[in-house]
Amino acid sequence: MTDTAAHGSVREVDRLIIRFAGDSGDGMQLTGDRFTSASALFGNDLATLPEFPAEIRAPAGTLAGVSSFQVHISDHDITTPGDAPTVLVAMNPAALKADLDKLERGGTVIVNEDAFEERNLTKAGYAGNPLDDDTLAAYTVIRVPMTSLTKEACKALDVKPRDAERSKNFFALGLVSWMFSRPVEPTLDWINQRFKGRDTVIAANTTAFQAGHAYGETAELADSHVMVRPAKLPPGLYTQINGNTALAWGLVAASQQAQIPLFLGSYPITPASDILHELSKHKNFGVRTMQAEDEIAAAGAALGASFGGHIGVTTTSGPGVALKSETIGLAVSLELPLVVVDIQRGGPSTGLPTKTEAADLLLAMFGRHGESPLPIVAAYSPTHCFWAAIEATRIALTYRTPVILLSDGYLANGTEPWRIPDLSELPAIPVTFATEPNHVGPDGEPVYWPYLRDENLIRPWAVPGTPGLEHRIGGLEKEDGSGNVSYDPANHSRMVHLRAERIAHIATDIPPVEVTGDVDADVLVLGWGSTWGAIETACERVRATGQKVAHAHLVHLNPFPPNLGEVLGRHRTVLVPELNLGQLVRLVRDRYLVDAKSITKVFGQPFTAAELTDAILGEMR
Amino acid sequence: MTDTAAHGSVREVDRLIIRFAGDSGDGMQLTGDRFTSASALFGNDLATLPEFPAEIRAPAGTLAGVSSFQVHISDHDITTPGDAPTVLVAMNPAALKADLDKLERGGTVIVNEDAFEERNLTKAGYAGNPLDDDTLAAYTVIRVPMTSLTKEACKALDVKPRDAERSKNFFALGLVSWMFSRPVEPTLDWINQRFKGRDTVIAANTTAFQAGHAYGETAELADSHVMVRPAKLPPGLYTQINGNTALAWGLVAASQQAQIPLFLGSYPITPASDILHELSKHKNFGVRTMQAEDEIAAAGAALGASFGGHIGVTTTSGPGVALKSETIGLAVSLELPLVVVDIQRGGPSTGLPTKTEAADLLLAMFGRHGESPLPIVAAYSPTHCFWAAIEATRIALTYRTPVILLSDGYLANGTEPWRIPDLSELPAIPVTFATEPNHVGPDGEPVYWPYLRDENLIRPWAVPGTPGLEHRIGGLEKEDGSGNVSYDPANHSRMVHLRAERIAHIATDIPPVEVTGDVDADVLVLGWGSTWGAIETACERVRATGQKVAHAHLVHLNPFPPNLGEVLGRHRTVLVPELNLGQLVRLVRDRYLVDAKSITKVFGQPFTAAELTDAILGEMR
Amino acid sequence: MSTDVPTTTRADWSSDQEVRWCPGCGDYSILAALQFLMPELGVRRENTVFVSGIGCAARFPYYMDTYGMHSIHGRAPAIATGLAMARPDLDVWVVGGDGDMLSIGGNHLIHALRRNVNLKILLFNNMIYGLTKGQYSPTSEVGKVTKSTPMGSLETPFNPLSVAIGAEATFVARTHDMDRAHMQEMFRRAHQHQGAAFVEVYQNCNVFNDGAFGAITRKDARDEMLINLVHGQPIRFGKDGEKGVAMGSDGALQVVAVDEAGVDALLVHDAHREDPSLAFALTRLASGPYEPTPVGVFRDVARPEYAEQAQAQLAAAQEQRGPGDLAKLLRSQPTWTVS
Amino acid sequence: MSTDVPTTTRADWSSDQEVRWCPGCGDYSILAALQFLMPELGVRRENTVFVSGIGCAARFPYYMDTYGMHSIHGRAPAIATGLAMARPDLDVWVVGGDGDMLSIGGNHLIHALRRNVNLKILLFNNMIYGLTKGQYSPTSEVGKVTKSTPMGSLETPFNPLSVAIGAEATFVARTHDMDRAHMQEMFRRAHQHQGAAFVEVYQNCNVFNDGAFGAITRKDARDEMLINLVHGQPIRFGKDGEKGVAMGSDGALQVVAVDEAGVDALLVHDAHREDPSLAFALTRLASGPYEPTPVGVFRDVARPEYAEQAQAQLAAAQEQRGPGDLAKLLRSQPTWTVS
Ligand SMILES: Cc1ncc(C[n+]2csc(CCOP(=O)(O)OP(=O)(O)O)c2C)c(N)n1
Ligand SMILES: Cc1ncc(C[n+]2csc(CCOP(=O)(O)OP(=O)(O)O)c2C)c(N)n1
Ligand code: SF4
Ligand code: SF4
Ligand SMILES: [Mg+2]
Ligand SMILES: [Mg+2]
């Protein structure tokens, strides 16, 4: 900090939303990431929203090729990556074109002047040069020839100009770091770490970064010199984490808490692949990861591992869940633990693979043939993915059932600061395997009945290797108790009802849904999943207008928390914002016969707090 | 008829329910089938319920091996195979044990005496011989040594006793044919047809049949000599048909009406396989059938054929629908016609493959990732499968959408008389392919836009081979109009809504739901699928008690008929009987916020009219 | 396998469930062969698992008094792979029919084979769909008339052993339901193999495809129609071994008369050869169960087993980084303190 | 194909969609090869369909100005089979990556091959998952370190040509993205083949698996590392054809020095041989793209095509029973009249 504090007048603001936009090749994700980390280490609260094209590298200079990264930093507790950016860093015309309309009126645009030449302009579909006409009239524009300055700075080093050019994103990073008074060490350290061994690259990036930083100091940008003080977050040790990493760690934590080895069967798919990548790093935790030939095999392998006494997990996105349906149905029938993670993305079909959406709730609820109920848990923030993963695993292990854990592309890639919990804060997950016969056979000798349930309707779990408990289970209907194949009509009816009650009964083992804000408000906003942050902020803004509003957010979508009906009954209006065409709203209308109203968005992007504020206020008029 | 009328006193009854029960090896299905055909040709109205084990041939003599066939014949219009049989034909102890409790009090049991020996009795789990103790006290018992009498009768012919024994089911058939005054010719003709070329078999079966018939005449069974007069059905040419055959013919009919070749991609599965078998016989209609490597390939091949301008159809049961989910989602995105036939069976998982259930409605409705709406049509009787197939195909072709057609195991195998429609009664299905560009490109030349919709939001269908209309479609989100890949957020939202409206709009093109019975009743019974017959009969019985009740039955489950809300609004109580734990009831509660009540049965068997009558009356108290 | 294994008999390996195959089904003799063999393998029932898909063959696990799973159609190899990877200490057997493992389950089968995961895979090939009442299968001969192909099937059938070898299988064998001793020998060899072992069992479905293999498995036909492959031995058959298999000058295998070609001309069977080409050629010798058909172990080569290697990676990871420490993991990215 | 086909140029076959592969991706050269070749095949754009699954390779159809479908991951061979069966008049090409067609889509691929349905199947093998950013694929070498296998992959890779031949393929060829002329020759031959034609194209993914094939496809390496298979010719390679392939006494193929072994000892390539054993042996010659590797047409045999046969059955049925008469069908079971 000291070094930044050193310089002259620094205007203080309580929050800042910066959006880095450039070509897929320009390293915007990395730039945004570094800025975020520096801000995190500096102690701001923050939230990020990375956006990138579905192609590995869409054509350079085109709109389709634009990759951007938005970060919201503040000196107080925030829950979203922000609505309209205050600052837009545009590395080329396409980036400006794609993101300018997002910038708040009067905001600052920092452009890489050099990139605004003929070819790029036409590729971006600009007739003239927006830097010269009045396109940017409404904004503060800072033109910086980043490419040439970077090359210039790197002259001294023996790096080819083309390579030097690659470092221009670090120039941009250096410049913004100065403007917003970010500490420089973390970034310099990181550069040395990341490119260890490739000295010229280290040299070029470091030089570019420092050149950018210096440029800010020397050029007349003083009045853009801004600072956001650290946020007063609850004391503790913090780290910055995205949803997929948090989810992977939550699975590891659950396995540790239960002392049951973790087995991941997975098939790569955006935006879920990173969980496979992360878990495959932790073999020293006894975590087995298998990249299967397809999603069906991935789910099957996980189920096979569960039969063997491991906690089988399979991670995927919508198309994979559809494929796993039959195998999940088998898990329902076998009553074995299985955690199915669905990182939702834009659909239907292949849809928008890299964009977020939350339209798989009803698939999770009903996407199996026959009466095939299972619990559903949904994460509501990147860091909550850690806790949601533990909860999903706890339910799967405790109740011997497949559980679907819902997250989405926004949570998966979005990051926020996380107070690292003490291990003592983690729930215990006691699991016991059957080791003894639990029944006496017709001829009086002890036998093991795999479907002889306890008072919670949970069946025992005897794993291969246990002498005397040899048994067979399968997808055909089973006799209540013995588990032998049975075509008896009355038994089938009993089993169908038992499977349903078993899942419904879990409601007694989950926390009641909490209501935040004005419990006596007429309007309740009922949410689930990644809409949490936007809803919280929107509700605050609504209250700021003097209106009352309450917020309830569901982590358990099936079964519902026992008090949900009562909570809904307390409010005259129930609004249900969802990133789909209205799915949770159908479940609550059916279950509680309340005239809940839907607020929907299917733009492949999260709600902004502004959109929700307007929608809520609109309903109040 | 004459020959039957000839004999002495024949008691007339208005209806009869006979149940043939025996070992899987005893040919009960065939026996029941023949009796049914004879009755059909005789002019009775009728309905049948075949039941058989999941194994090809379960162990002889055991309960698991019992195969039975129930037929309801009457002189008036009936809609169900009947509740409690008046006559039970039991070929062995297991059959008696398995089905006796179904027989109505005071009913008649006809047993094959010879089969009631030690081994069979123990296999069936009888301590003593039920023919000797008072097990059958409450019933009229007719003991006939069928096996020995059959062997005896066949002595003359040169057939081995073991083979002769096989004909004992024809002895039983002959006996019952006499008792219930069935014409004999049809059966004799059929024997000669069916076993053409195998003269000894023909001889044995004919002899056994006649022996059984004679036995009735000679033995003192006079007071069991009963007759059910032909029913007064609407005039016309009739045939007896089961649901799967009717469904297959409906698909052929639809293809003929649309002049679009039929392509079936299928993978065998009970109880849907017979549709594949039936359609593969009709190659002279240009029907292509492909037995694919799995359900996914079957659906994929059908979709590929649709892309080529055929009407792609894929037939399966629950597990197959789960597997096809992703491909159906692609069809939703491609907006191509596809008919997915789900012959529902007992679930979850492999469940009860040969038993009926109707628990796939919500899977059909929501079993795809993302917002992926499609129309759903459900057949309500075996013969209605013909019309439902035509309607599903009409919607698929007209609106370029996958349609899920729901039937179930009971409809699939159940038979009833069908007045063969005149071809002029079939709906026209006009389909036009695009042959010309439908838009002008940027540079003014004509182009083809595959997603340029008409006023009904239907996109044009240009098939390969059409010059000038070359285009690419895929599962990624498409630009409204051009159909080019588009990641534009606003476009995605527009397309998601267009896909939803497109399906919702079909409501304007389907008949309003009709209410039968007392339109002014407080109680409305809302049904769908195979519960129709039982509901109709139950409602009649309720009215017989002097109470009013109305019945509405849905053929279109998505979208709902436009007048459904208004209909529901007219009745104080809405009861929804379903062969699941309550699925349609969820949809109507959500959609119309009416407190509809569920009546459920998951016994792998259809509702009996009695069960529903009690349930409805129960709700009235 | 572990020592001091209690001695068992067939009865110990037979579950209390009544067997529900059709009378006369070939599955009975395969079941008997295995139930009689298990006591000889020196393994424990509790460490033995049978996993199957769906089909008549797939009912198999219900009849073995071991751990077992009757799963869903086609997925047994995938499910068993997860189990074997999680529990390398178990003996995992996979049983399924030609439809189960070559039609819907074909992909899982070939991937299990290339992974060389420690599964003993028994394919009961009856060249038909039994449980669904007689449609043709991927091994049915061309022109097969069935309910779904009234004018005859069109597809060239898979040769299961060619498929397996094409998929990098390390152990490939064939036997048939009429010869218990030979079945047991094949199952024993498969069990000894470390890795994925694939055994095709010709199985008669006497209801829907009766006699499909009669031409080669009838007692009186075997001498002339079954070519017994024995590692290290020249490939001969016929009552007095008067016929043999030799490599033609054009590089193609052919059946020769031994007295004409001479014993030295005969191909000496080498099941352990790394290169699968010859084993593949042997699978092509008969184009169907109506020509002289090789039975026995076609291929049996050593290659690291999947689950063991995965296990080794876990061990190595613990070596290098110590056993997992959750507190450390949660702190493994840059951290800062808020006080 | 029909006569009087209008002459076209590459431009006619290029769609207006901008190509979205990474700069330097091998897919570009394959696309160019096909776009330049199509005008020579004497086919019409409207009768040509490209069907693909999902992956970088699978974006292919968007760039051809023909009919096309970018379907779902792994299912292209199945979807294309339905299309080809419904419309035998069309030229149907299938394009996909090694993950698309050998991982999730492996079963559809092998069944399409045994069916011998008239598809031209192009597998772009870059030995990696490109679109999902670099996980190992079923063709990745053992020990491959990727995001999903930080300690190296364990599975033995598929040899796509071995798999295809094991699955009864009638046409099997290999080429690579560095040699347009050779690619075009292979594509042309595939197009001429009546039935399922399988072509493996070694394709460089310069972002996630750069140089995977460099050792054999680099201009200066080709002479020594690529073994050109020419039907009817002895199999030779090396700058002056100084090396060749011969059948060893043990029945295994081996690379020999021609001057030592003599030309007559060399194996003469016979792509048309019914027995696939030798073609299979050739696929095993190189254990990976770092040893001398055969390219060209391994196998090209005639066998009735699936869709044509299906068509023939329809025709036969109409012959025998006359064109379908719906009224008759509805009356085809016993009927009675109610008056
Ligand atoms: C997903 C799914 N598809 C189809 C079926 C129906 N089915 C059950 S077994 C079977 C094939 C039986 O043939 P095979 O695998 O050869 O076993 P077999 O009965 O001949 O022993 C089929 C298609 C099913 N149970 N599940
Ligand atoms: C059902 C489904 N599973 C997974 C994915 C994610 N996915 C897309 S492409 C791909 C594999 C890409 O590799 P490859 O097929 O070799 O094609 P390449 O990108 O290398 O050309 C995967 C796993 C998907 N789109 N759909
Ligand atoms: S149908 Fe065939 S395979 Fe199945 S049990 Fe009967 S005989 Fe055996
Ligand atoms: S990721 Fe690889 S395969 Fe995909 S486009 Fe880029 S270079 Fe080509
Ligand atoms: Mg079979
Ligand atoms: Mg690839």
Side-chain angles (χ1 to χ4, degrees), chain C residues 102-103 106-107 111 114-115 138 151-152 155-158 163 166 168 250 252 273 276-278 281 284 303 310 313, chain D residues 102-103 106-107 111 114-115 138 151-152 154-158 163 166 168 250 252 273 276-278 281 284 303 310 313:
Chain C
L102 286 172
S103 196
N107 203 36
H111 279 272
R114 83 176 177 94
R115 273 193 194 102
M151 295 179 78
E155 298 97 322
T156 298
F158 277 138
V163 172
E168 311 297 329
D250 61 355
R273 181 182 296 188
S277 302
L278 259 179
R284 311 305 298 189
R303 196 205 299 156
Q313 287 192 336
Chain D
L102 287 172
S103 197
N107 204 36
H111 280 272
R114 83 176 177 92
R115 274 194 193 100
M151 297 178 79
L154 303 172
E155 298 97 321
T156 298
F158 277 137
V163 171
E168 311 297 329
D250 61 354
R273 181 183 297 188
S277 303
L278 260 179
R284 311 304 300 188
R303 196 205 299 156
Q313 288 192 335

Side-chain angles (χ1 to χ4, degrees), chain B residues 95 136 177 186 218 237 368 373 376 438 458 488 493-494 533 584 614:
Chain B
L136 304 176
S177 298
T218 49
L237 185 67
R368 293 159 298 283
I376 302 171
N438 58 354
I458 303 170
D488 174 62
S493 178
R494 188 157 58 251
L584 170 62
D614 296 348

Side-chain angles (χ1 to χ4, degrees), chain A residues 293-337:
Chain A
E293 57 269 27
D294 66 14
E295 283 84 356
I296 300 176
L303 185 58
S306 289
F307 183 66
H310 288 220
I311 172 60
V313 178
T314 187
T315 51
T316 187
S317 187
V321 176
L323 286 167
K324 294 172 198 280
S325 304
E326 190 202 12
T327 307
I328 299 171
L330 174 63
V332 167
S333 176
L334 297 182
E335 298 185 31
L336 282 174

Side-chain angles (χ1 to χ4, degrees), chain B residues 56, chain C residues 21-22 25-27 56 126 130-131 203-208:
Chain B
I56 297 306
Chain C
W21 287 311
C22 305
C25 174
D27 290 343
C56 295
N126 55 14
L131 191 65
Q203 172 247 331
N204 189 44
C205 167
N206 56 301
V207 170
F208 295 111

Side-chain angles (χ1 to χ4, degrees), chain B residues 559-611:
Chain B
F560 283 137
N563 65 327
L564 181 58
E566 183 256 317
V567 166
L568 297 177
R570 283 205 303 260
H571 304 273
R572 228 187 45 233
T573 307
V574 176
L575 303 178
V576 186
E578 299 183 79
L579 293 174
N580 56 45
L581 291 188
Q583 300 199 356
L584 170 62
V585 72
R586 282 174 171 267
L587 298 177
V588 294
R589 286 171 61 90
D590 156 37
R591 172 76 177 278
Y592 303 105
L593 282 188
V594 294
D595 193 2
K597 295 207 171 23
S598 206
I599 301 173
T600 70
K601 179 179 184 182
V602 282
F603 276 67
Q605 298 161 341
F607 279 108
T608 64
E611 289 164 340

Side-chain angles (χ1 to χ4, degrees), chain A residues 116-160:
Chain A
F116 284 67
E117 35 79 350
E118 207 46 36
R119 254 180 95 266
N120 285 339
L121 289 168
T122 26
K123 273 201 204 154
Y126 274 120
N129 185 338
L131 303 185
D132 306 335
D133 59 31
D134 59 5
T135 310
L136 304 177
Y139 310 94
T140 311
V141 185
I142 301 177
R143 310 166 57 136
V144 186
M146 301 187 193
T147 316
S148 31
L149 288 176
T150 305
K151 284 205 214 138
E152 188 55 37
C154 293
K155 267 237 179 64
L157 324 164
D158 66 346
V159 287
K160 293 186 219 62

Side-chain angles (χ1 to χ4, degrees), chain C residues 97-99 124 126-130 137:
Chain C
D98 40 319
F124 296 4
N126 55 14
M127 300 171 78
I128 199 79
Y129 283 5
S137 91

